[in-house]
Structures are given as C-alpha cells and as structure tokens.
PDB file of all heavy atoms in Angstrom:
ATOM      1  N   LYS A   1       0.805  -1.185  -0.021  1.00  0.00           N
ATOM      2  CA  LYS A   1      -0.047   0.029  -0.026  1.00  0.00           C
ATOM      3  C   LYS A   1       0.868   1.262   0.054  1.00  0.00           C
ATOM      4  O   LYS A   1       0.666   2.225  -0.741  1.00  0.00           O
ATOM      5  CB  LYS A   1      -0.956   0.000   1.209  1.00  0.00           C
ATOM      6  CG  LYS A   1      -2.010   1.091   1.178  1.00  0.00           C
ATOM      7  CD  LYS A   1      -2.902   1.010   0.042  1.00  0.00           C
ATOM      8  CE  LYS A   1      -3.999   1.985   0.143  1.00  0.00           C
ATOM      9  NZ  LYS A   1      -4.996   1.820  -0.902  1.00  0.00           N
ATOM     10  N   GLY A   2       1.861   1.284   0.860  1.00  0.00           N
ATOM     11  CA  GLY A   2       2.775   2.455   0.901  1.00  0.00           C
ATOM     12  C   GLY A   2       3.493   2.646  -0.396  1.00  0.00           C
ATOM     13  O   GLY A   2       3.586   3.843  -0.851  1.00  0.00           O
ATOM     14  N   THR A   3       3.941   1.571  -1.054  1.00  0.00           N
ATOM     15  CA  THR A   3       4.643   1.751  -2.318  1.00  0.00           C
ATOM     16  C   THR A   3       3.640   2.397  -3.384  1.00  0.00           C
ATOM     17  O   THR A   3       4.058   3.216  -4.112  1.00  0.00           O
ATOM     18  CB  THR A   3       5.136   0.272  -2.763  1.00  0.00           C
ATOM     19  OG1 THR A   3       6.130  -0.176  -1.803  1.00  0.00           O
ATOM     20  CG2 THR A   3       5.892   0.502  -4.113  1.00  0.00           C
ATOM     21  N   ALA A   4       2.471   1.924  -3.307  1.00  0.00           N
ATOM     22  CA  ALA A   4       1.444   2.387  -4.332  1.00  0.00           C
ATOM     23  C   ALA A   4       1.240   3.889  -4.076  1.00  0.00           C
ATOM     24  O   ALA A   4       1.106   4.729  -5.026  1.00  0.00           O
ATOM     25  CB  ALA A   4       0.153   1.600  -4.199  1.00  0.00           C
ATOM     26  N   ILE A   5       1.049   4.299  -2.821  1.00  0.00           N
ATOM     27  CA  ILE A   5       0.787   5.656  -2.454  1.00  0.00           C
ATOM     28  C   ILE A   5       1.987   6.618  -2.866  1.00  0.00           C
ATOM     29  O   ILE A   5       1.801   7.667  -3.268  1.00  0.00           O
ATOM     30  CB  ILE A   5       0.458   5.805  -0.916  1.00  0.00           C
ATOM     31  CG1 ILE A   5      -0.917   5.191  -0.608  1.00  0.00           C
ATOM     32  CG2 ILE A   5       0.633   7.194  -0.450  1.00  0.00           C
ATOM     33  CD1 ILE A   5      -1.162   5.113   0.735  1.00  0.00           C
ATOM     34  N   LEU A   6       3.237   6.032  -2.696  1.00  0.00           N
ATOM     35  CA  LEU A   6       4.368   6.844  -3.078  1.00  0.00           C
ATOM     36  C   LEU A   6       4.569   6.939  -4.574  1.00  0.00           C
ATOM     37  O   LEU A   6       5.383   7.752  -5.033  1.00  0.00           O
ATOM     38  CB  LEU A   6       5.560   6.195  -2.379  1.00  0.00           C
ATOM     39  CG  LEU A   6       5.648   6.380  -0.880  1.00  0.00           C
ATOM     40  CD1 LEU A   6       6.610   5.360  -0.281  1.00  0.00           C
ATOM     41  CD2 LEU A   6       6.032   7.826  -0.559  1.00  0.00           C
ATOM     42  N   GLY A   7       3.897   6.122  -5.337  1.00  0.00           N
ATOM     43  CA  GLY A   7       3.935   6.172  -6.822  1.00  0.00           C
ATOM     44  C   GLY A   7       4.862   5.110  -7.439  1.00  0.00           C
ATOM     45  O   GLY A   7       5.210   5.173  -8.519  1.00  0.00           O
ATOM     46  N   GLY A   8       5.134   4.050  -6.642  1.00  0.00           N
ATOM     47  CA  GLY A   8       5.901   2.908  -7.140  1.00  0.00           C
ATOM     48  C   GLY A   8       7.408   2.991  -6.710  1.00  0.00           C
ATOM     49  O   GLY A   8       7.847   3.920  -6.156  1.00  0.00           O
ATOM     50  N   TYR A   9       8.032   1.876  -6.893  1.00  0.00           N
ATOM     51  CA  TYR A   9       9.425   1.754  -6.478  1.00  0.00           C
ATOM     52  C   TYR A   9      10.391   2.723  -7.042  1.00  0.00           C
ATOM     53  O   TYR A   9      11.348   3.065  -6.429  1.00  0.00           O
ATOM     54  CB  TYR A   9       9.948   0.319  -6.735  1.00  0.00           C
ATOM     55  CG  TYR A   9       9.371  -0.764  -5.867  1.00  0.00           C
ATOM     56  CD1 TYR A   9       8.542  -1.706  -6.320  1.00  0.00           C
ATOM     57  CD2 TYR A   9       9.691  -0.738  -4.538  1.00  0.00           C
ATOM     58  CE1 TYR A   9       7.979  -2.737  -5.602  1.00  0.00           C
ATOM     59  CE2 TYR A   9       9.212  -1.854  -3.727  1.00  0.00           C
ATOM     60  CZ  TYR A   9       8.308  -2.795  -4.308  1.00  0.00           C
ATOM     61  OH  TYR A   9       7.772  -3.757  -3.441  1.00  0.00           O
ATOM     62  N   HIS A  10      10.150   3.132  -8.298  1.00  0.00           N
ATOM     63  CA  HIS A  10      11.031   3.964  -8.950  1.00  0.00           C
ATOM     64  C   HIS A  10      10.623   5.511  -8.887  1.00  0.00           C
ATOM     65  O   HIS A  10      11.365   6.248  -9.517  1.00  0.00           O
ATOM     66  CB  HIS A  10      11.229   3.515 -10.472  1.00  0.00           C
ATOM     67  CG  HIS A  10      11.628   2.062 -10.512  1.00  0.00           C
ATOM     68  ND1 HIS A  10      12.925   1.662 -10.174  1.00  0.00           N
ATOM     69  CD2 HIS A  10      11.060   0.999 -10.978  1.00  0.00           C
ATOM     70  CE1 HIS A  10      13.093   0.393 -10.305  1.00  0.00           C
ATOM     71  NE2 HIS A  10      11.913  -0.031 -10.800  1.00  0.00           N
ATOM     72  N   SER A  11       9.658   5.784  -8.069  1.00  0.00           N
ATOM     73  CA  SER A  11       9.243   7.167  -8.013  1.00  0.00           C
ATOM     74  C   SER A  11      10.222   7.935  -7.131  1.00  0.00           C
ATOM     75  O   SER A  11      10.820   7.408  -6.235  1.00  0.00           O
ATOM     76  CB  SER A  11       7.853   7.294  -7.424  1.00  0.00           C
ATOM     77  OG  SER A  11       7.817   6.857  -6.108  1.00  0.00           O
ATOM     78  N   PRO A  12      10.345   9.217  -7.376  1.00  0.00           N
ATOM     79  CA  PRO A  12      11.200  10.080  -6.506  1.00  0.00           C
ATOM     80  C   PRO A  12      10.804  10.118  -4.994  1.00  0.00           C
ATOM     81  O   PRO A  12      11.574   9.985  -4.150  1.00  0.00           O
ATOM     82  CB  PRO A  12      10.999  11.467  -7.133  1.00  0.00           C
ATOM     83  CG  PRO A  12      10.670  11.251  -8.533  1.00  0.00           C
ATOM     84  CD  PRO A  12       9.778  10.066  -8.527  1.00  0.00           C
ATOM     85  N   ALA A  13       9.364   9.976  -4.810  1.00  0.00           N
ATOM     86  CA  ALA A  13       8.874   9.976  -3.460  1.00  0.00           C
ATOM     87  C   ALA A  13       9.332   8.729  -2.750  1.00  0.00           C
ATOM     88  O   ALA A  13       9.667   8.712  -1.635  1.00  0.00           O
ATOM     89  CB  ALA A  13       7.429  10.151  -3.374  1.00  0.00           C
ATOM     90  N   TYR A  14       9.244   7.579  -3.388  1.00  0.00           N
ATOM     91  CA  TYR A  14       9.664   6.223  -2.825  1.00  0.00           C
ATOM     92  C   TYR A  14      11.173   6.326  -2.521  1.00  0.00           C
ATOM     93  O   TYR A  14      11.524   5.823  -1.449  1.00  0.00           O
ATOM     94  CB  TYR A  14       9.334   5.101  -3.733  1.00  0.00           C
ATOM     95  CG  TYR A  14       9.699   3.807  -3.186  1.00  0.00           C
ATOM     96  CD1 TYR A  14       8.887   3.124  -2.254  1.00  0.00           C
ATOM     97  CD2 TYR A  14      11.017   3.155  -3.373  1.00  0.00           C
ATOM     98  CE1 TYR A  14       9.146   1.877  -1.719  1.00  0.00           C
ATOM     99  CE2 TYR A  14      11.356   2.003  -2.727  1.00  0.00           C
ATOM    100  CZ  TYR A  14      10.449   1.333  -1.983  1.00  0.00           C
ATOM    101  OH  TYR A  14      10.845   0.167  -1.436  1.00  0.00           O
ATOM    102  N   ASN A  15      11.892   6.914  -3.329  1.00  0.00           N
ATOM    103  CA  ASN A  15      13.339   6.950  -3.178  1.00  0.00           C
ATOM    104  C   ASN A  15      13.723   8.086  -2.187  1.00  0.00           C
ATOM    105  O   ASN A  15      14.936   8.153  -1.837  1.00  0.00           O
ATOM    106  CB  ASN A  15      14.035   7.078  -4.511  1.00  0.00           C
ATOM    107  CG  ASN A  15      14.018   5.871  -5.341  1.00  0.00           C
ATOM    108  OD1 ASN A  15      14.399   4.806  -4.816  1.00  0.00           O
ATOM    109  ND2 ASN A  15      13.386   5.994  -6.472  1.00  0.00           N
ATOM    110  N   ASN A  16      12.821   8.825  -1.735  1.00  0.00           N
ATOM    111  CA  ASN A  16      13.078   9.863  -0.638  1.00  0.00           C
ATOM    112  C   ASN A  16      12.768   9.143   0.654  1.00  0.00           C
ATOM    113  O   ASN A  16      11.728   8.956   0.946  1.00  0.00           O
ATOM    114  CB  ASN A  16      12.136  11.024  -0.850  1.00  0.00           C
ATOM    115  CG  ASN A  16      12.426  12.122   0.100  1.00  0.00           C
ATOM    116  OD1 ASN A  16      12.367  11.888   1.359  1.00  0.00           O
ATOM    117  ND2 ASN A  16      12.632  13.338  -0.332  1.00  0.00           N
ATOM    118  N   ARG A  17      13.895   8.754   1.331  1.00  0.00           N
ATOM    119  CA  ARG A  17      13.808   8.023   2.569  1.00  0.00           C
ATOM    120  C   ARG A  17      12.846   8.596   3.595  1.00  0.00           C
ATOM    121  O   ARG A  17      12.034   7.869   4.185  1.00  0.00           O
ATOM    122  CB  ARG A  17      15.190   7.748   3.131  1.00  0.00           C
ATOM    123  CG  ARG A  17      15.155   6.861   4.309  1.00  0.00           C
ATOM    124  CD  ARG A  17      16.558   6.564   4.845  1.00  0.00           C
ATOM    125  NE  ARG A  17      16.497   5.625   5.947  1.00  0.00           N
ATOM    126  CZ  ARG A  17      17.493   5.307   6.648  1.00  0.00           C
ATOM    127  NH1 ARG A  17      18.723   5.668   6.377  1.00  0.00           N
ATOM    128  NH2 ARG A  17      17.342   4.406   7.684  1.00  0.00           N
ATOM    129  N   SER A  18      12.951   9.857   3.789  1.00  0.00           N
ATOM    130  CA  SER A  18      12.151  10.658   4.746  1.00  0.00           C
ATOM    131  C   SER A  18      10.568  10.470   4.476  1.00  0.00           C
ATOM    132  O   SER A  18       9.817  10.142   5.373  1.00  0.00           O
ATOM    133  CB  SER A  18      12.618  12.042   4.834  1.00  0.00           C
ATOM    134  OG  SER A  18      11.720  12.710   5.702  1.00  0.00           O
ATOM    135  N   THR A  19      10.287  10.704   3.204  1.00  0.00           N
ATOM    136  CA  THR A  19       8.885  10.620   2.873  1.00  0.00           C
ATOM    137  C   THR A  19       8.386   9.219   2.926  1.00  0.00           C
ATOM    138  O   THR A  19       7.283   8.987   3.401  1.00  0.00           O
ATOM    139  CB  THR A  19       8.699  11.210   1.397  1.00  0.00           C
ATOM    140  OG1 THR A  19       9.273  12.474   1.252  1.00  0.00           O
ATOM    141  CG2 THR A  19       7.238  11.191   0.926  1.00  0.00           C
ATOM    142  N   ARG A  20       9.137   8.280   2.412  1.00  0.00           N
ATOM    143  CA  ARG A  20       8.769   6.809   2.509  1.00  0.00           C
ATOM    144  C   ARG A  20       8.555   6.368   3.987  1.00  0.00           C
ATOM    145  O   ARG A  20       7.536   5.704   4.206  1.00  0.00           O
ATOM    146  CB  ARG A  20       9.860   6.022   1.856  1.00  0.00           C
ATOM    147  CG  ARG A  20       9.551   4.489   1.708  1.00  0.00           C
ATOM    148  CD  ARG A  20      10.601   3.691   1.019  1.00  0.00           C
ATOM    149  NE  ARG A  20      11.807   3.644   1.729  1.00  0.00           N
ATOM    150  CZ  ARG A  20      13.018   4.055   1.189  1.00  0.00           C
ATOM    151  NH1 ARG A  20      13.072   4.585  -0.004  1.00  0.00           N
ATOM    152  NH2 ARG A  20      14.081   3.985   1.967  1.00  0.00           N
ATOM    153  N   GLN A  21       9.378   6.886   4.792  1.00  0.00           N
ATOM    154  CA  GLN A  21       9.253   6.488   6.150  1.00  0.00           C
ATOM    155  C   GLN A  21       7.955   7.104   6.855  1.00  0.00           C
ATOM    156  O   GLN A  21       7.311   6.431   7.586  1.00  0.00           O
ATOM    157  CB  GLN A  21      10.523   6.989   7.020  1.00  0.00           C
ATOM    158  CG  GLN A  21      10.531   6.572   8.493  1.00  0.00           C
ATOM    159  CD  GLN A  21      11.765   6.873   9.127  1.00  0.00           C
ATOM    160  OE1 GLN A  21      12.715   7.494   8.538  1.00  0.00           O
ATOM    161  NE2 GLN A  21      11.888   6.613  10.358  1.00  0.00           N
ATOM    162  N   LYS A  22       7.746   8.312   6.403  1.00  0.00           N
ATOM    163  CA  LYS A  22       6.504   8.969   7.011  1.00  0.00           C
ATOM    164  C   LYS A  22       5.206   8.127   6.481  1.00  0.00           C
ATOM    165  O   LYS A  22       4.296   7.975   7.297  1.00  0.00           O
ATOM    166  CB  LYS A  22       6.342  10.394   6.446  1.00  0.00           C
ATOM    167  CG  LYS A  22       7.328  11.321   7.093  1.00  0.00           C
ATOM    168  CD  LYS A  22       7.178  12.737   6.446  1.00  0.00           C
ATOM    169  CE  LYS A  22       8.247  13.639   6.805  1.00  0.00           C
ATOM    170  NZ  LYS A  22       8.071  14.962   6.151  1.00  0.00           N
ATOM    171  N   VAL A  23       5.179   7.720   5.282  1.00  0.00           N
ATOM    172  CA  VAL A  23       4.048   6.973   4.800  1.00  0.00           C
ATOM    173  C   VAL A  23       3.794   5.660   5.581  1.00  0.00           C
ATOM    174  O   VAL A  23       2.768   5.409   6.110  1.00  0.00           O
ATOM    175  CB  VAL A  23       4.191   6.673   3.269  1.00  0.00           C
ATOM    176  CG1 VAL A  23       3.084   5.671   2.808  1.00  0.00           C
ATOM    177  CG2 VAL A  23       4.034   8.040   2.459  1.00  0.00           C
ATOM    178  N   TYR A  24       4.873   4.984   5.684  1.00  0.00           N
ATOM    179  CA  TYR A  24       4.855   3.686   6.367  1.00  0.00           C
ATOM    180  C   TYR A  24       4.486   3.841   7.846  1.00  0.00           C
ATOM    181  O   TYR A  24       3.673   3.106   8.405  1.00  0.00           O
ATOM    182  CB  TYR A  24       6.108   2.820   6.258  1.00  0.00           C
ATOM    183  CG  TYR A  24       6.328   2.358   4.835  1.00  0.00           C
ATOM    184  CD1 TYR A  24       7.524   2.419   4.198  1.00  0.00           C
ATOM    185  CD2 TYR A  24       5.263   1.694   4.086  1.00  0.00           C
ATOM    186  CE1 TYR A  24       7.782   1.988   2.907  1.00  0.00           C
ATOM    187  CE2 TYR A  24       5.632   1.244   2.781  1.00  0.00           C
ATOM    188  CZ  TYR A  24       6.773   1.398   2.244  1.00  0.00           C
ATOM    189  OH  TYR A  24       6.952   0.919   0.959  1.00  0.00           O
TER     190      TYR A  24
END
C-alpha cells in the first residue's frame, strides 16, 4: 500500500527515505 501511495518503487517519493518512512 505504501509503495502504491508513493507512486511505485522507482518514483522520486519512494526513493526519498524521509517521505517513504512517513508513509509507512
């Protein structure tokens, strides 16, 4: 779910550790 919200594995948001951590 988090990966989908972030826009997928290769999205800039997914690769932004801080943002990814906030979502999870």
Side-chain angles (χ1 to χ4, degrees):
K1 185 66 172 187
T3 301
I5 287 171
L6 289 161
Y9 287 112
H10 301 293
S11 70
Y14 181 85
N15 290 304
N16 181 305
R17 184 177 182 182
S18 173
T19 304
R20 185 176 65 234
Q21 187 175 0
K22 287 177 190 177
V23 169
Y24 291 133

